[in-house]
Amino acid sequence: MLASLKAVGIGKVYESGLIFKSQKTILQNISLELEEGQTLGLMGVSGSGKTTLGKILAGLERPTAGRVLFGGKDIQRLHKKEFTLFRRQVQMVFQDPEGSLNPRKSIEEAIHDVLGLLKIPKGEWRERSLDLLETMGLSDELLCRYPGQISGGQNQRVALGRVLLLNPRFMILDEPTSALDLSVQAQMLSLLKDLQRDRGLGYLLISHQSDVVKYMAHEIFILEEGRMKPMS
Amino acid sequence: MNCRHIKNRLLPTNTSLCSLVLFLSFLLMALLAPVIAPYDPYIRFEPYRSPSLEHLLGTNDLGNDIFSELIYSSRVSLIVGFGAALMATIIGTVIGLFAGYFKGTPDEILMGITDIFLMIPQIPLIIILAAFLMPSFYLIALIMGSLWWTSTARVVRSKALQIRETSFVEAARSLGFSDMHIIFSDILPNIVHVITPKFLMAIASAMIAESSISFLGLGDPTAKSWGMMINFAFIRGGFINDYWWWYLPPGICITLFVLSVVLISYAFEESEEAALRIE
C-alpha cells in the first residue's frame, strides 16, 4: 500500500513583542498531499513561508493550526516508536550544502554517525560508507575531508546520501540546487530523478527556480500571502 | 587511507611557543617537585640566610629552604587554579548548552539561576567562607568553581542559540539524532574555541584569587602555596627587612604562570580565527 504524507489546514503565525504582541501570519489553511513516486513543486518568493511549510511537514516545526498526517495518523499524537519511524521515513534536504554538514566532522564521521544511529555493526561502517559514496558518484578520498574542503555539489550529495541511508519514503527538498552551478544542478536533478524512479520516493520540491520545478514536479503550487494556489 | 594529513595544521608563533614552554615548565615543576627540589621544604636550617650556592634563595624565618618551598608551592597553586577552572567550565558549559539548545522555559529557569549567581559578590563571599569554614585549599577551589561558571554559561548559551539554528543541527534533528547527541556531538565541538580561552582565563583568575586569599591570611597555613609564601614573608619580616629572595620569587612565579596562560589563550583564539579564515 502506498503511504502518504498529508497536511490538513496548516496555519503558522509568528508572534513578537513582550507586552504589545504583534502577529505575522505566514501560512493560512494549507492542505496538500504527498504520494510516493510523485513530486510536488512548491514555488514562491523569498519569505513566503516555503521552508516553514517544509519544516512543518518534516515534523521539525509545529504548526499553530492544522495537522500533519502520516499514514493517516496525526504526527503530534504518534507514540515514540511511531514517531521514530516517521522521522526516518520523512527526511529533509537543506538549501545550504556546506552548512548541512557539521564543519568539525569529516565526511567519514558524518556518515558513521548515521550508521551508528541505525545500529549497524561497526565492522560494516567502512564498507557501507564506500558504497554510499559510490551510489552518490563520489570518490572515496572524500571520506577524509571536511565539508569546507569539498565543493558545494559534493557536500549536497553527501547530505543526500546520509538521508538515503535511512531509506526514507518522502523527502522535503528545500532548494537543493539553488546554491549549485548549472552543470552541478543538472547532475543533482538527474540523480534525484533516478532515486525517485528506483526507490519510489515522494518529493516536495521547494524552489524559486521555475525551470527546476517544471522539470521535476508532477504538480506545481505557488505560495502567496500565506495561501497555496495551483500554478496555472 | 589515513585521514590525519588532511586536517589543517597551523604553525605556532614564537609567542605561543614560548608561553607553552613556560606553561609546561610550571606543570613539570609541580609534577616533579620531589625530584627537582634540593631539600624537603619542611626541613629546618639556619633561619634568614641569604641566597648562596647551598640555598639558592636562602632560608625563611623557620629555616626552610625557600627554593624548595617555591617548587613545592607550585603544586597547591596549580591544583587550586586547575580545579576551580575545570569545575567552573564544566558547570558553565553544561548549563549554557542546555539553556541555549532547549530555549523557552528551560532557558528562562537556567538563566534565572545564572542571574542569581551573578548577583553574589564572589570575592567577599569566598573570603567570608574561607574565614568561617576550616581553611583548606580544596574548599577554596570548590567555592570558586561553584561560583565562577556564570560568564561561561552566558557565552556558551549565546553560541548554542546561534548554532542550534544552523542547517547541520536541523539536519541532525531531521535524521532523528537525540537531543543529547546533537548537544554533545554537534554543538559542543563547535564552541570549544569559545570554551577553551574561558577555561584558561579561569585558571589565571583562580590562581590570582587564591594568592590574594592566602596573602590575606585566609588560606590553609599548613599547605604551601605561592600566595601563602608571600603572606609569610609579609607577616614574618621579609618585606620590612627587604629579603627580596623570599617574597619576589613567588610573585614572579604567579605572574609568569598567569602570563603564560593568558598568552596561550590569545594564541588559541588567533589560531581558531585563522582556521576559520582558511575554511
Side-chain angles (χ1 to χ4, degrees):
Chain A
M1 198 183 105
L2 291 177
S4 72
L5 182 65
K6 212 171 175 177
V8 185
I10 294 292
K12 182 77 181 176
V13 178
Y14 284 117
E15 277 187 351
S16 62
L18 200 66
I19 300 165
F20 303 105
K21 296 214 183 255
S22 66
Q23 289 191 334
K24 191 179 179 195
T25 305
I26 302 293
L27 302 170
Q28 288 182 70
N29 196 25
I30 292 195
S31 299
L32 61 88
E33 186 170 2
L34 275 182
E35 283 173 8
E36 285 184 85
Q38 297 290 305
T39 301
L40 202 146
L42 186 62
M43 293 178 65
V45 292
S46 297
S48 57
K50 305 186 293 289
T51 301
T52 305
L53 179 61
K55 283 183 182 173
I56 290 171
L57 276 171
L60 297 173
E61 248 183 69
R62 276 173 181 251
T64 33
R67 296 175 300 156
V68 176
L69 305 174
F70 178 67
K73 288 184 181 175
D74 185 347
I75 62 164
Q76 301 297 342
R77 292 166 190 238
L78 294 178
H79 298 295
K80 204 182 166 191
K81 217 173 172 182
E82 288 173 320
F83 191 79
T84 307
L85 187 73
F86 160 77
R87 203 10 86 257
R88 291 193 179 171
Q89 300 209 331
V90 181
Q91 284 297 313
M92 189 156 180
V93 175
F94 294 88
Q95 183 179 5
D96 174 19
E98 202 180 305
S100 300
L101 299 168
N102 188 337
R104 303 267 167 183
K105 286 182 181 174
S106 67
I107 301 303
E108 187 173 34
E109 288 168 316
I111 297 170
H112 285 181
D113 268 357
V114 183
L115 295 172
L117 179 74
L118 293 169
K119 296 191 169 64
I120 288 167
K122 264 193 172 177
E124 294 176 25
W125 286 8
R126 181 83 189 166
E127 200 188 324
R128 293 288 294 263
S129 304
L130 293 172
D131 284 350
L132 181 140
L133 290 181
E134 199 186 327
T135 312
M136 304 313 293
L138 297 167
S139 153
D140 62 352
E141 72 174 58
L142 249 61
L143 281 181
C144 297
R145 295 184 187 259
Y146 285 77
Q149 296 171 329
I150 59 176
S151 71
Q154 287 171 322
N155 269 312
Q156 196 64 298
R157 280 167 186 256
V158 173
L160 185 62
R162 275 184 5 130
V163 162
L164 290 174
L165 281 173
L166 299 170
N167 277 325
R169 292 162 95 170
F170 297 100
M171 279 168 57
I172 318 295
L173 306 166
D174 184 9
E175 312 231 19
T177 58
S178 64
L180 309 175
D181 59 52
L182 272 178
S183 62
V184 185
Q185 265 190 30
Q187 288 172 17
M188 193 72 193
L189 293 176
S190 135
L191 178 68
L192 286 168
K193 276 221 160 188
D194 291 347
L195 287 168
Q196 187 171 52
R197 192 190 56 231
D198 298 343
R199 300 184 181 215
L201 295 167
Y203 293 148
L204 173 70
L205 177 66
I206 298 169
S207 181
H208 59 264
Q209 295 168 292
S210 56
D211 293 345
V212 170
V213 179
K214 279 175 193 162
Y215 172 71
M216 291 287 292
H218 298 94
E219 248 184 308
I220 303 173
F221 291 91
I222 295 179
L223 204 55
E224 235 173 34
E225 290 167 356
R227 293 183 185 277
M228 211 167 82
K229 299 167 192 166
M231 191 176 171
S232 54
Chain B
M1 185 188 279
N2 181 10
C3 288
R4 284 171 198 274
H5 69 285
I6 299 288
K7 248 189 168 177
N8 283 326
R9 296 244 176 261
L10 290 160
L11 290 172
T13 59
N14 285 341
T15 320
S16 62
L17 211 60
C18 287
S19 48
L20 193 67
V21 168
L22 201 61
F23 180 80
L24 292 175
S25 308
F26 278 112
L27 280 189
L28 280 176
M29 182 168 141
L31 288 170
L32 305 173
V35 182
I36 302 167
Y39 306 104
D40 183 314
Y42 293 96
I43 290 178
R44 292 182 174 194
F45 300 94
E46 190 190 328
Y48 296 119
R49 282 184 66 175
S50 304
S52 62
L53 280 176
E54 198 184 345
H55 300 287
L56 289 175
L57 294 172
T59 58
N60 63 13
D61 61 316
L62 295 172
N64 303 140
D65 179 62
I66 294 175
F67 182 63
S68 306
E69 204 179 17
L70 186 76
I71 291 169
Y72 272 92
S73 294
S74 62
R75 290 184 149 188
V76 168
S77 297
L78 264 60
I79 286 173
V80 172
F82 274 94
L86 194 68
M87 193 173 156
T89 308
I90 291 172
I91 299 173
T93 303
V94 171
I95 288 183
L97 278 172
F98 278 71
Y101 180 75
F102 290 108
K103 294 205 298 187
T105 312
D107 181 30
E108 280 171 24
I109 293 170
L110 291 170
M111 284 303 110
I113 294 169
T114 308
D115 288 340
I116 292 168
F117 271 81
L118 270 169
M119 283 187 285
I120 299 171
Q122 297 176 350
I123 291 287
L125 180 71
I126 293 170
I127 290 171
I128 290 165
L129 288 174
F132 279 95
L133 300 171
M134 192 181 65
S136 150
F137 284 110
Y138 297 108
L139 189 72
I140 289 171
L142 196 75
I143 297 167
M144 287 196 283
S146 54
L147 290 174
W148 283 2
W149 52 267
T150 48
S151 67
T152 309
R154 282 242 172 251
V155 172
V156 169
R157 172 192 172 264
S158 63
K159 275 308 266 185
L161 273 172
Q162 193 186 337
I163 295 171
R164 81 182 294 281
E165 304 301 333
T166 55
S167 298
F168 71 85
V169 171
E170 292 220 72
R173 283 174 60 213
S174 169
L175 285 163
F177 286 107
S178 68
D179 290 330
M180 290 301 123
H181 180 277
I182 295 171
I183 290 172
F184 292 107
S185 173
D186 286 316
I187 298 179
L188 182 60
N190 282 285
I191 50 175
V192 167
H193 66 287
V194 175
I195 299 167
T196 311
K198 293 290 290 176
F199 169 68
L200 290 168
M201 296 303 261
I203 295 175
S205 305
M207 282 188 66
I208 291 172
E210 182 275 323
S211 304
S212 312
I213 289 163
S214 297
F215 180 70
L216 293 172
L218 298 166
D220 183 352
T222 59
K224 290 180 186 296
S225 77
W226 291 330
M228 214 65 210
M229 279 180 76
I230 301 174
N231 170 255
F232 285 148
F234 185 70
I235 59 172
R236 292 173 188 177
F239 279 71
I240 292 170
N241 296 307
D242 200 21
Y243 295 152
W244 58 265
W245 54 87
W246 192 0
Y247 61 81
L248 217 51
I252 290 171
C253 282
I254 294 167
T255 311
L256 285 179
F257 187 78
V258 169
L259 189 70
S260 74
V261 166
V262 170
L263 287 175
I264 290 172
S265 165
Y266 287 153
F268 187 82
E269 276 180 90
E270 272 178 22
S271 82
E272 276 299 317
E273 277 172 23
L276 277 175
R277 280 199 295 274
I278 288 168
E279 277 175 23

